[in-house]
């Protein structure tokens, strides 16, 4: 009891002393306290912060960047207006020169010249399943009005017997008139060639006629038709290397040295066209004998009436093949010129 009273008194004294030592402040309600939460604090989130994303930042990617390769410019919405062509649209440039193909020869031989006879331009015969009948006089080859002298001469009757397919109009038709010849044309050209190249031996003349009649199909072809090899031609059917040599020998001022190694069809055919006239075409075999195979000219190697000599000449000197048809052709010519 005494303890409880003493504790109560002591508590009263402590409270009274503390109240006197620490005076209570007098609150001034006319000024808002520093902790008044009605004011906007410094961290008020209702204000727009510096990082407010409602405003486009300086690095806003909604704008088109200056180097934007991801999208094309918006096309025009009008269907009536054609879109402008791209500035970098590629157009193949024209070639800087015409030398993508071999230049044509400087001469006018861009096409094969017409043969000296009228057969190249003759009108087409009337079509018929049956060839018109001709008299013996019409079918036979007539003698030329003038013939060269001093060489072995061929007569019209001899040539008709040697190459019977060349009699009359020969094998010439409307379809193959360009370069085709008959015996009448051949007779003049063959005698001219023998005179020009000094071929006097009968065995050599027989060999030249037999060779060309076989290669040209009895004077029907002047250029290679099957398979149509460029640059090959004349009645001897020279390949291009000899076509070039022959043309160069005949027309040295017109044939350029660079054409010797030509491989394009245009140039080779143009050079060939220079030597397709009758005299040049029928003279080709005689030129070859006397200039490219002189060991067979005036040496007795092409013996008169000797088939083995002719076979050797064809296979060794000319490089041609040999078969029964070539042999039969030589036998016909050899027999006809013996008469």
């Amino acid at each position: 009891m005494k303890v409880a009273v003493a504790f109560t008194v002591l508590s009263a004294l402590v409270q009274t002393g503390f109240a006197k030592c620490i005076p209570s402040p007098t609150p001034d309600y006319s000024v808002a306290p520093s902790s008044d939460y009605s004011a906007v604090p410094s961290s008020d989130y209702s204000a727009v912060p510096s990082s407010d994303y409602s405003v486009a930042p300086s690095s806003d990617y909604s704008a088109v960047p200056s180097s934007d390769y991801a999208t094309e410019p918006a096309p025009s919405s009008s269907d009536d207006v054609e879109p402008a062509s791209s500035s970098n649209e590629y157009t193949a440039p024209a070639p800087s020169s015409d030398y993508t193909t071999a230049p044509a020869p400087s001469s006018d031989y861009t096409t094969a010249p017409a043969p000296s006879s009228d057969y190249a331009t003759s009108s087409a015969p009337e079509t018929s399943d049956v060839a018109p009948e001709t008299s013996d006089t019409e079918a036979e080859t007539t003698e030329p009005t003038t013939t060269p002298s001093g060489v072995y001469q061929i007569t019209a009757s001899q040539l008709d017997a040697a190459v019977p397919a060349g009699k009359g109009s020969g094998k010439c038709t409307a379809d193959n008139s360009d370069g085709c010849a008959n015996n009448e044309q051949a007779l003049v050209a063959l005698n001219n060639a023998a005179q020009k190249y000094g071929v006097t031996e009968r065995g050599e003349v027989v060999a030249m006629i037999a060779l060309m009649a076989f290669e040209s199909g009895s004077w029907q072809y002047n250029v290679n038709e099957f398979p149509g090899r460029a640059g090959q031609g004349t009645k001897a059917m020279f390949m291009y290397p000899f076509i070039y040599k022959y043309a160069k020998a005949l027309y040295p001022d017109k044939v350029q040295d660079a054409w010797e190694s030509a491989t394009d069809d245009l140039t080779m055919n143009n050079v060939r066209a220079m030597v397709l006239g009758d005299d040049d075409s029928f003279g080709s075999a005689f030129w070859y004998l006397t200039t490219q195979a002189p060991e067979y000219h005036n040496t007795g190697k092409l013996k008169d009436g000797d088939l083995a000599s002719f076979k050797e000449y064809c296979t060794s000197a000319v490089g041609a093949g040999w078969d029964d048809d070539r042999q039969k052709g030589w036998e016909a010519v050899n027999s006809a010129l013996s008469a």
Side-chain angles (χ1 to χ4, degrees), residues 57-83:
S58 60
S59 59
D60 181 19
Y61 291 95
S62 64
V64 179
S66 60
S67 60
D68 184 16
Y69 293 101
T71 58
E72 297 284 345
S76 172
S77 60
S78 174
D79 294 332
D80 297 331
V81 180
E82 294 182 1

Side-chain angles (χ1 to χ4, degrees), residues 184-269:
E184 189 168 350
Q185 295 169 253
L187 180 63
V188 175
L190 290 169
N191 281 333
N192 286 343
Q195 172 76 22
K196 179 177 182 178
Y197 294 101
V199 178
T200 61
E201 298 293 329
R202 177 187 171 278
E204 294 180 14
V205 175
V206 169
M208 298 306 100
I209 295 175
L211 176 70
M212 290 190 289
F214 177 84
E215 295 292 347
S216 65
S218 298
W219 322 138
Q220 183 176 4
Y221 302 110
N222 219 20
V223 300
N224 178 267
E225 298 285 351
F226 311 102
R229 187 176 294 111
Q232 183 180 3
T234 72
K235 290 296 186 279
M237 286 297 153
F238 285 165
M239 299 293 280
Y240 181 72
F242 290 106
I243 286 288
Y244 172 82
K245 289 182 179 180
Y246 188 38
K248 186 70 171 178
L250 297 182
Y251 308 105
D253 295 336
K254 293 181 178 180
V255 179
Q256 298 179 15
D257 294 342
W259 298 344
E260 182 176 10
S261 58
T263 57
D264 64 286
D265 291 359
L266 177 62
T267 300
M268 292 191 292
N269 289 342

Side-chain angles (χ1 to χ4, degrees), residues 8 77 85 141 157 192 243-244 281 288 300 314:
T8 301
S77 60
S85 59
T141 300
S157 59
N192 286 343
I243 286 288
Y244 172 82
S281 188
Y288 187 91
C314 289

Side-chain angles (χ1 to χ4, degrees), residues 20-273:
K20 291 179 179 181
C21 293
I22 305 174
S24 298
T26 303
D28 185 2
Y29 293 103
S30 64
V31 181
S34 60
S35 59
D36 182 10
Y37 292 99
S38 64
V40 179
S42 61
S43 59
D44 180 19
Y45 290 97
S46 65
V48 179
S50 59
S51 58
D52 180 21
Y53 290 97
S54 65
V55 180
S58 60
S59 59
D60 181 19
Y61 291 95
S62 64
V64 179
S66 60
S67 60
D68 184 16
Y69 293 101
T71 58
E72 297 284 345
S76 172
S77 60
S78 174
D79 294 332
D80 297 331
V81 180
E82 294 182 1
S85 59
S86 174
S87 61
N88 61 348
E89 182 179 353
Y90 177 77
T91 303
S96 58
S97 70
D98 292 332
Y99 290 98
T100 53
T101 57
S106 58
S107 69
D108 292 333
Y109 294 97
T110 54
T111 56
S116 57
S117 71
D118 291 333
Y119 271 74
T121 57
S122 61
S123 59
E126 295 180 1
T127 57
S128 173
D129 295 334
V130 180
E133 295 182 0
T134 57
S135 66
D136 292 340
T137 302
E138 291 173 334
E140 292 178 355
T141 300
T142 58
E143 297 285 355
T145 54
T146 59
T147 56
S149 60
V151 294
Y152 189 90
Q153 294 295 287
I154 311 164
T155 66
S157 59
Q158 285 177 329
L159 191 58
D160 282 349
V163 189
K167 293 172 65 174
S169 60
K171 289 189 172 183
C172 303
T173 67
D175 295 331
N176 68 353
S177 62
D178 188 11
C180 183
N182 63 2
N183 280 349
E184 189 168 350
Q185 295 169 253
L187 180 63
V188 175
L190 290 169
N191 281 333
N192 286 343
Q195 172 76 22
K196 179 177 182 178
Y197 294 101
V199 178
T200 61
E201 298 293 329
R202 177 187 171 278
E204 294 180 14
V205 175
V206 169
M208 298 306 100
I209 295 175
L211 176 70
M212 290 190 289
F214 177 84
E215 295 292 347
S216 65
S218 298
W219 322 138
Q220 183 176 4
Y221 302 110
N222 219 20
V223 300
N224 178 267
E225 298 285 351
F226 311 102
R229 187 176 294 111
Q232 183 180 3
T234 72
K235 290 296 186 279
M237 286 297 153
F238 285 165
M239 299 293 280
Y240 181 72
F242 290 106
I243 286 288
Y244 172 82
K245 289 182 179 180
Y246 188 38
K248 186 70 171 178
L250 297 182
Y251 308 105
D253 295 336
K254 293 181 178 180
V255 179
Q256 298 179 15
D257 294 342
W259 298 344
E260 182 176 10
S261 58
T263 57
D264 64 286
D265 291 359
L266 177 62
T267 300
M268 292 191 292
N269 289 342
N270 285 341
V271 175
R272 178 183 65 187

